[in-house]
Amino acid sequence: MAHDSHDHAGHTAGHHHTHTHSHAHGPANYGRAFAIGGALNLSFMLAEVVFGMIGHSLALLADAGHNMSDILGLLMAWGATALSRRQPSARFTYGLRSSSILVALANAVFLLVVTGGIAWEAIQRMLHPTPVASGIVIGVAAFGVAINTGTALLFMAGRKGDLNIRAAFLHMAGDAAVSLGVVLAGIGMLFTDWFWLDPAVSLLISAVIVIATWGLLRDSLNLTLHGVPEGIETQAVRAYLAALPDVAAVHDLHIWAMSTTETALTVHLVMPNGHPGDALLNRIGNELQRRFRIDHPTLQVEAGDPAHPCALAPDHRV
């Protein structure tokens, strides 16, 4: 969501409190991609369930369960993207931007739970392998490679700038790789009658899901706990601010995510020469966005009067 550059200067207790907005960028509109991806994966999931039962293939049924979680994940991510565009209100002064973070975390947790069920069933089937209709497995899984690859490409462009879009891309790209693995297992069973390959591929599916999901879980949990978003170095931001003209000290620096695409910052700048003027504050806001992708900075300017020290100056105070 773009904001016009503006500043608010107030004067309380000898401090100048300035709030600047630089060129903030909200989430891109991927509504069409979510709709197409959801429809394709729903049709494919139903096909996997039907043919998995006909062919007695746990690999197809396992992948169907995974695709079900992906469909739910796509719908949740789509909803969070819409909620992120809601305007601020008296109760939600940042709007509902952080819903995208909660959905990313929920997606990661849900995927891991589903994976646990798939792995458990695969272990049981490994102990008691049953015949599998290899031809059906190969045909359905090959169709899945095409469906999941096409869906992943819909989200490829936005995967680096939005955790939600990254989750969608990883799910679909992982599904394409998993479907390819099922094809290879089907070919192996067709020529060898090694029916244990089917549950073995299910375990491989589980491993792929865990590996792909772990980073998403880590990053979404970090944002949920107001951690500094990945790619932003706090010390680099502090060094930039400390090197600004007339800045004697920097304290009470906080950086956190308002959503999966927008980052906020608050900081106190000690400037003994007084308020630097709106032009410099605008330049600082623009530089924070350009260098660090920080879209929503709030800068409090203090004169550093020893008779009125800032209570938040010590590093341990928050």
Side-chain angles (χ1 to χ4, degrees):
M1 184 180 298
H3 298 277
D4 296 328
S5 294
H6 61 277
D7 293 286
H8 310 290
H11 202 150
T12 59
H15 294 176
H16 290 281
H17 188 87
T18 303
H19 177 195
T20 79
H21 276 182
S22 55
H23 305 291
H25 299 281
N29 190 352
Y30 280 86
R32 185 177 180 182
F34 280 121
I36 295 173
L40 289 175
N41 277 269
L42 178 60
S43 61
F44 179 55
M45 182 201 74
L46 294 176
E48 283 189 308
V49 170
V50 172
F51 288 105
M53 295 178 67
I54 293 174
H56 303 289
S57 171
L58 180 61
L60 285 181
L61 293 174
D63 199 37
H66 182 207
N67 273 300
M68 181 181 68
S69 69
D70 282 345
I71 293 168
L72 179 59
L74 286 174
L75 292 175
M76 292 171 62
W78 189 2
T81 300
L83 289 175
S84 294
R85 297 176 179 278
R86 293 282 295 272
Q87 293 297 313
S89 65
R91 175 174 290 274
F92 300 102
T93 56
Y94 277 136
L96 297 176
R97 289 168 168 79
S98 60
S99 60
S100 59
I101 300 174
L102 295 177
V103 164
L105 178 61
N107 267 330
V109 172
F110 184 62
L111 268 173
L112 292 176
V113 170
V114 170
T115 301
I118 293 173
W120 175 256
E121 185 63 28
I123 291 172
Q124 300 304 309
R125 188 69 70 90
M126 283 282 287
L127 298 175
H128 307 284
T130 57
V132 175
S134 303
I136 292 177
V137 171
I138 294 170
V140 176
F143 182 58
V145 173
I147 290 290
N148 291 317
T149 299
T151 306
L153 292 175
L154 294 175
F155 300 102
M156 187 172 182
R159 71 189 188 283
K160 294 183 179 180
D162 187 336
L163 198 61
N164 255 338
I165 302 303
R166 174 183 155 197
F169 173 79
L170 286 176
H171 287 180
M172 297 302 105
D175 283 353
V178 165
S179 294
L180 180 60
V182 175
V183 170
L184 296 177
I187 295 174
M189 289 185 291
L190 188 63
F191 289 101
T192 65
D193 286 337
W194 292 350
F195 297 117
W196 56 266
L197 285 174
D198 185 70
V201 168
S202 297
L203 287 175
L204 179 62
I205 289 174
S206 300
V208 170
I209 296 172
V210 169
I211 293 171
T213 305
W214 192 255
L216 175 64
L217 176 66
R218 181 195 63 233
D219 292 344
S220 57
L221 185 60
N222 176 65
L223 296 188
T224 302
L225 297 175
H226 289 170
V228 178
E230 185 179 5
I232 299 178
E233 294 292 336
T234 303
Q235 291 306 316
V237 176
R238 183 183 295 274
Y240 162 71
L241 294 171
L244 289 169
D246 298 324
V247 172
V250 175
H251 61 259
D252 199 37
L253 172 62
H254 300 281
I255 305 169
W256 73 98
M258 296 192 301
S259 71
T260 54
T261 60
E262 297 168 286
T263 302
L265 170 150
T266 58
V267 67
H268 294 194
L269 303 177
V270 179
M271 306 183 76
N273 293 333
H275 194 281
D278 290 352
L280 177 60
L281 293 174
N282 268 307
R283 181 163 66 84
I284 295 172
N286 291 332
E287 282 296 298
L288 286 171
Q289 202 287 324
R290 185 182 69 83
R291 296 188 185 195
F292 308 105
R293 297 189 63 190
I294 294 173
D295 313 294
H296 195 107
T298 302
L299 314 175
Q300 177 167 308
V301 176
E302 301 171 0
D305 184 353
H308 301 90
C310 179
L312 298 176
D315 288 339
H316 68 275
R317 293 293 302 275
V318 294

